Amino acid sequence: MENTLFWLIFFTLGWTLTDGSEPEQDFMWHLRKAPRVVSERTFHLTSPTFEADAKMVLKRVCGIECQKELPAPSLSDLEESLSYETVFENGTRTLTRVKVQGLIREPTPNVTTKRASVRRKRQVYGTDSRFSILDKRFLTSFPFSTAVKLSTGCSGTLISPTHVLTAAHCVHDGKDYVKGSKKLRVGLLKMRNKGGGKKRRGPKRSRRGANGGEQGEAGRGQAEESARAGRRGKQSARRPGLAAGRPSFQWTRVKHTHIPKGWATGGRGDAALDYDYALLELKRAHRKKFMELGISPAIRRLPGGMIHFSGFDHDRADQLVYRFCSVSDESNDLLYQYCDAESGSTGSGVYLRLKEPDKKTWKRKLIAVYSGHQWVDVHGVQKDYNVAVRITPLKFAQICFWIHGDEADCTYG
């Protein structure tokens, strides 16, 4: 309990001191106009061999200083990177060329919020601040219920009744599809009652608390989420009897997988970390509440500079692990942070909880995909970070197109 109170106080202070005396005006979702991605032509490709190993770390990542020296990509370069492969459950594969319409280039300089010291290669930094979510009232409630497990060992997030967003390296190493991805399955967390009877829903009050409710201020809502996770998770760990059942997974086959060519280069150049994301379409729809997709705001618009995500870390077998931390640096396509995480959590959806414009309600949206531990060039020095791939307007448009097709209205996100 003392640790939970410490984190709660730390988190609240971090939020309070971040952006001055008028946080309510800044910490809300500002809808941004997105371009349109449309298909041009689809080609049939030879079937992949599915022999690659899941690749978690790239040899070298172009960091903030490196990206500043790169010329802005041309429209044709962007269309090449956003063109995508689709692999189907029968092992066949296609390549779809796309066109980008209505692209507005915005000057988005890279920003550094603070200079982080050089750290040793690791994914947990100092004291482990992760929380295992063991109480079934929270495991089966939004937002924790949106987290899924992939049969290749990664995590992902439900973003529609039939779609999961994850990291591209969880199914493709940049040259070929990884072993086991031909018969890829997604595990949705459920609770299995000890008595084998019908599952009961938790008390009305508890469900409302797990869903966040309508709060009057950003600090209270953000701190409440971390406190719930820590208090319930740690109490359940000490007293297993608090959980009325034990977790299991309902596995569903993947119908097909979309991966941008920016990642799936097929050996022609290095895979770009900026495009380490993939969309999986499930064969069977689920009935869970899913996480809505949003466009990643700048660090200064994050309450306390904090991000949140939950996944299935390998060192905590079949436990859903929640964490939050502040973002250390950002580039146009990446978030650099020190969220404690282990392998297995890669592919998790990074989300925020902000106020909706002109409303009193708060909404969580997925704004990045956790890619894992990487060495990056920052200020001329190789540093290690845990990195997340931001959902930019272009990526938002592409993922929306993958879900809804050419006729989709993906104008704002």
Side-chain angles (χ1 to χ4, degrees):
M1 181 60 70
E2 289 78 12
N3 287 339
T4 301
L5 290 175
F6 170 79
W7 280 111
L8 180 59
I9 293 170
F10 176 83
F11 184 89
T12 305
L13 286 174
W15 171 83
T16 304
L17 299 175
T18 297
D19 230 32
S21 60
E22 297 182 4
E24 293 246 8
Q25 295 182 6
D26 295 324
F27 299 148
M28 64 175 59
W29 293 111
H30 294 275
L31 296 181
R32 296 172 60 185
K33 189 170 184 179
R36 191 179 181 201
V37 174
V38 297
S39 60
E40 183 183 35
R41 188 177 177 185
T42 298
F43 307 84
H44 287 281
L45 303 176
T46 57
S47 296
T49 60
F50 299 98
E51 290 295 330
D53 294 318
K55 189 176 183 180
M56 301 297 182
V57 182
L58 298 176
K59 292 181 179 179
R60 190 177 182 87
V61 176
C62 184
I64 293 176
E65 293 298 310
C66 170
Q67 288 189 358
K68 284 182 179 179
E69 299 175 359
L70 296 177
S74 65
L75 180 60
S76 60
D77 290 336
L78 291 173
E79 290 174 340
E80 173 66 23
S81 295
L82 292 170
S83 295
Y84 61 93
E85 283 192 11
T86 303
V87 63
F88 299 88
E89 61 176 332
N90 63 2
T92 59
R93 180 175 53 150
T94 61
L95 168 64
T96 301
R97 297 289 182 185
V98 303
K99 287 291 184 182
V100 177
Q101 301 174 349
L103 176 63
I104 300 175
R105 293 184 179 272
E106 299 177 356
T108 52
N110 291 306
V111 178
T112 300
T113 56
K114 61 181 179 179
R115 294 289 295 270
S117 59
V118 179
R119 297 176 183 254
R120 291 176 296 154
K121 181 179 178 181
R122 54 185 176 177
Q123 291 178 288
V124 173
Y125 300 89
T127 302
D128 192 342
S129 60
R130 296 173 296 165
F131 301 100
S132 291
I133 309 300
L134 302 177
D135 193 311
K136 78 170 187 177
R137 290 173 296 174
F138 297 95
L139 276 173
T140 57
S141 297
F142 185 87
F144 303 119
S145 59
T146 65
V148 300
K149 186 174 184 178
L150 273 60
S151 57
T152 53
C154 290
S155 299
T157 307
L158 299 171
I159 61 170
S160 92
T162 54
H163 292 91
V164 170
L165 190 64
T166 187
H169 75 253
C170 294
V171 292
H172 196 290
D173 74 345
K175 298 180 181 179
D176 189 20
Y177 290 83
V178 304
K179 299 171 183 175
S181 61
K182 183 176 181 179
K183 296 182 179 179
L184 186 63
R185 297 182 301 153
V186 168
L188 281 67
L189 194 62
K190 66 176 183 177
M191 295 303 298
R192 184 164 52 202
N193 287 350
K194 290 181 179 178
K198 186 175 181 180
K199 183 179 70 175
R200 289 185 178 181
R201 299 185 69 184
K204 196 172 187 179
R205 193 174 195 178
S206 297
R207 292 200 308 272
R208 184 165 61 248
N211 280 299
E214 296 183 1
Q215 302 295 338
E217 56 179 329
R220 180 182 172 190
Q222 294 285 347
E224 189 178 67
E225 181 152 330
S226 60
R228 283 200 313 272
R231 182 170 61 253
R232 296 296 182 182
K234 290 188 176 181
Q235 286 178 353
S236 296
R238 289 193 296 268
R239 293 182 290 166
L242 283 179
R246 60 190 182 93
S248 61
F249 294 92
Q250 179 182 353
W251 293 95
T252 302
R253 288 287 298 272
V254 172
K255 186 177 179 180
H256 57 250
T257 302
H258 298 305
I259 301 178
K261 287 295 291 180
W263 179 268
T265 63
R268 295 181 292 275
D270 295 328
L273 183 60
D274 298 351
Y275 295 94
D276 187 14
Y277 58 93
L279 188 75
L280 318 178
E281 181 171 345
L282 306 178
K283 290 190 68 175
R284 182 175 56 195
H286 63 84
R287 296 182 180 180
K288 294 177 178 285
K289 183 177 180 180
F290 56 85
M291 187 80 72
E292 187 175 325
L293 200 65
I295 294 175
S296 175
I299 290 179
R300 66 181 181 275
R301 295 195 181 278
L302 310 186
M306 296 286 182
I307 57 174
H308 309 253
F309 65 94
S310 302
F312 298 94
D313 300 51
H314 282 165
D315 64 335
R316 301 190 184 183
D318 289 340
Q319 292 183 11
L320 180 63
V321 183
Y322 162 77
R323 75 229 74 201
F324 66 90
C325 71
S326 59
V327 176
S328 298
D329 294 289
E330 68 176 346
S331 67
N332 293 340
D333 287 277
L334 302 174
L335 295 175
Y336 305 96
Q337 35 79 16
Y338 291 119
C339 279
D340 289 331
E342 290 288 350
S343 60
S345 62
T346 57
S348 300
V350 176
Y351 65 89
L352 302 176
R353 184 174 182 270
L354 299 177
K355 189 176 180 181
E356 293 192 272
D358 304 321
K359 295 182 181 180
K360 295 182 180 180
T361 57
W362 299 80
K363 178 178 284 189
R364 296 175 181 85
K365 291 185 181 180
L366 188 153
I367 54 94
V369 177
Y370 176 54
S371 181
H373 176 274
Q374 301 289 351
W375 287 96
V376 297
D377 293 319
V378 181
H379 309 296
V381 178
Q382 278 279 297
K383 297 181 180 181
D384 65 314
Y385 285 98
N386 285 336
V387 181
V389 179
R390 302 175 69 172
I391 304 298
T392 63
L394 264 175
K395 294 169 188 172
F396 175 87
Q398 182 186 50
I399 296 169
C400 184
F401 162 72
W402 282 344
I403 295 173
H404 302 290
D406 280 328
E407 302 305 317
D409 183 7
C410 307
T411 307
Y412 293 94

